[in-house]
Amino acid sequence: GAACSGHSEAGYALRVTPKYLLVGTQEATSGDFVYYSINGDTEYAVALKESAKSSSSQITIPAEYNEKPVTGIWRYGFADSNATSILIPSGITVIDFEAFMNSKIKSVTIPATIDEIGEAAFYACKDLTKASIQNTTTTSEASSACSCSEVEDEGEEERIPCSLTTIPSFCF
């Protein structure tokens, strides 16, 4: 089956990422979310409040906060969450280290705007059965996993679109 490794074919470029991708400071809490100011205070990264991790079954990550774009998912931001459905908006460019680790998520569609995914972003997501990365014209299936026992592996190599420049170790 497919593994989290680089491809030598033209149009597919992957590299291992550092442990933490986002650098910022916690700025605000609003609703179920904590916002971290990043990129010179021009954008935000988001995480789910600890109190919301056990109560939310469906989560829609906001596209903006305080009139600034939300472009990142903070490290450990949704880890250990009971949410089975998480909608990631277009505009998210970074999913940081262990962002969804050990969550109850069943499927995820990563937007075409994604540039980087941190190590172990979806590690130990035992209920995850489908992970897709959108491309401008197609959706590429990443149907194999390193630690998600329920993910079906059809024995085919996954194809990661050119817009994704980073793929992590232990990605799923």
Side-chain angles (χ1 to χ4, degrees):
C4 305
S5 62
H7 296 279
S8 59
E9 297 174 42
Y12 295 93
L14 308 177
R15 64 181 171 86
V16 175
T17 63
K19 185 173 183 179
Y20 297 128
L21 301 174
L22 295 170
V23 177
T25 55
Q26 184 174 335
E27 183 170 301
T29 300
S30 179
D32 288 339
F33 300 101
V34 178
Y35 294 90
Y36 296 85
S37 181
I38 59 172
N39 296 331
D41 297 331
T42 61
E43 302 170 3
Y44 287 104
V46 67
L48 193 61
K49 285 180 7 184
E50 286 299 318
S51 60
K53 287 186 176 184
S54 62
S55 62
S56 300
S57 63
Q58 181 173 341
I59 296 168
T60 300
I61 296 173
E64 68 175 38
Y65 173 74
N66 203 20
E67 299 181 14
K68 295 178 186 174
V70 172
T71 60
I73 297 176
W74 196 252
R75 58 186 159 261
Y76 317 109
F78 294 82
D80 301 312
S81 167
N82 285 337
T84 57
S85 174
I86 299 175
L87 301 174
I88 301 174
S90 179
I92 295 291
T93 59
V94 176
I95 298 174
D96 210 342
F97 179 77
E98 296 183 355
F100 295 96
M101 186 178 93
N102 201 39
S103 69
K104 303 288 185 200
I105 191 169
K106 292 184 178 186
S107 69
V108 62
T109 300
I110 299 169
T113 54
I114 199 73
D115 291 326
E116 296 181 289
I117 300 174
E119 288 185 30
F122 296 92
Y123 188 76
C125 296
K126 292 179 177 73
D127 297 328
L128 183 63
T129 57
K130 182 179 179 185
S132 303
I133 302 172
Q134 292 177 338
N135 198 329
T136 53
T137 57
T138 64
T139 299
S140 297
E141 296 292 330
S143 62
S144 151
C146 300
S147 178
C148 301
S149 60
E150 298 299 316
V151 176
E152 294 179 17
D153 183 356
E154 299 174 0
E156 296 179 12
E157 195 170 326
E158 78 258 21
R159 299 173 84 47
I160 307 299
C162 298
S163 60
L164 180 63
T165 59
T166 302
I167 196 80
S169 299
F170 303 107
C171 55
F172 292 96

